[in-house]
Amino acid sequence: MKHLLKGAAAVAIVMCISILIHIFFNMKGIDLNKYINNIVEVMLTSSFSMLIYQVLIRNEKPKDDGNKK
């Protein structure tokens, strides 16, 4: 369950940053859809989300399930 919450947090962080970037450029009168293809943007945001997720779970210790032989 912790991994699900950390993944959701990573996606939420990236989506908020993406929305803020789009709002900033729309206020300046620049349409990002002319310059960045939507597929490219999805690829960049998903890879950035995975990077944040990996940083969040980096310091976790693996669970010992007790099935040692």
Side-chain angles (χ1 to χ4, degrees):
M1 186 67 172
K2 289 192 296 184
H3 288 281
L4 178 67
L5 294 176
K6 288 180 182 182
V11 170
I13 290 168
V14 170
M15 291 307 295
C16 288
I17 292 171
S18 177
I19 289 170
L20 290 175
I21 289 171
H22 278 275
I23 289 173
F24 175 77
F25 280 106
N26 282 337
M27 287 173 42
K28 297 293 182 182
I30 300 171
D31 186 21
L32 288 180
N33 291 332
K34 283 194 249 179
Y35 302 108
I36 297 177
N37 193 355
N38 287 335
I39 295 172
V40 173
E41 184 178 1
V42 167
M43 295 291 286
L44 288 172
T45 55
S46 62
S47 62
F48 190 56
S49 295
M50 286 300 298
L51 177 69
I52 292 175
Y53 175 72
Q54 291 295 326
V55 168
L56 289 174
I57 67 167
R58 178 177 24 178
N59 294 330
E60 285 187 6
K61 294 180 183 176
K63 280 188 171 182
D64 184 17
D65 59 358
N67 292 332
K68 293 182 180 179
K69 292 183 179 180

